[in-house]
Amino acid sequence: MSLEKIQHEIVDAEKTYKRVPGSVRLIAVSKVQPNSRVEEVLEKGHLIFGENRVQEALNKWQDWKKTYKNIELHLLGPLQTNKVKKAFEIFDYIHSVDRDKLMRSLANEAQQIGFCPKLFLQVNTGLEPQKSGIAPENVANVLKLCINSYMLPVEGLMCIPPISEKPAKHFKLLKKISADNGLKNLSMGMSADFSIAIEYGATHVRVGSAIFGQRPK
Ligand SMILES: *Cc1c(COP(=O)(O)O)cnc(C)c1O
């Protein structure tokens, strides 16, 4: 378990790349990890976690959110509209907003309960057909729709670069789209490349296996 190691590497990257100290938030991605590993990280006082599935998050985090105050939970995986209601019960952030139907559903739920998790729009920077996310050229329009028509709280952009490519150009592209659209937050960088993501302006890095160890099969 190497929470401290990753925290140090983030501080180092902030220094190296002249980022404001403390401007990068570490999301510890706990999906599929054994509870004992997650509890170790909770006991060290870390409060920001990421999960990929709504039901898994509900099962694991309802009790932990009571035991450990001020947990901040991020949904990183795709969200089906029939899971939106449940997602609102447990998540503080959703990073995978990528289509009109989902935005409409988020807006409806937010209206009904008077609360909305903070949102990131997922961008398919590599235009991979099997991957979800908005095409870079459509981000401006989707963002307008999100903010003006649905009045949703969009905080920033998220991407998952193609595994077969160097991530830097994707991080750079996401940063440019974000700047062009006046957004402040960038969710990018995982275990293998979070330092590079910090170089290109990541504000939220999503690190799983480098903290908890390999996910069990
Ligand atoms: C699993 C996952 C991560 C963490 O991956 P690691 O390589 O274990 O750090 C980050 N982001 C998303 C969207 C994921 O699904």
Side-chain angles (χ1 to χ4, degrees), residues 29 31 33 52 76-77 122 158-160 189-192 206-211 213 215:
V29 183
K31 64 180 179 200
Q33 295 286 356
N52 264 33
L76 309 176
Q122 183 172 349
M158 177 270 224
C159 77
I160 309 170
M190 312 188 356
S191 289
R206 313 178 306 261
V207 182
S209 43
I211 294 174
R215 282 180 284 279

Side-chain angles (χ1 to χ4, degrees), residues 97-100 103 121 123 134-152 154 157 177 180-181 183:
V97 179
D98 65 347
R99 62 200 187 280
D100 186 54
M103 295 185 302
L121 298 183
V123 183
I134 303 156
E137 61 179 30
N138 295 336
V139 172
N141 280 332
V142 174
L143 183 64
K144 266 189 214 133
L145 189 67
C146 239
I147 292 173
N148 300 337
S149 307
Y150 295 121
M151 291 175 279
L152 289 166
V154 180
L157 303 177
I177 301 169
D180 288 349
N181 288 283
L183 290 166

Side-chain angles (χ1 to χ4, degrees), residues 2 4 10 14 35 38 41-42 56 58 63 70 88 99 104 118 144 146 161 167 177 193 198 201-202 205-206 209:
S2 37
E4 291 88 347
I10 289 173
E14 283 174 345
N35 286 356
V38 182
V41 171
L42 280 163
E56 183 187 346
L58 277 168
D63 285 345
N70 305 317
F88 272 56
R99 62 200 187 280
R104 206 174 326 136
K118 299 189 173 95
K144 266 189 214 133
C146 239
I177 301 169
D193 54 22
I198 291 170
V205 294
R206 313 178 306 261
S209 43

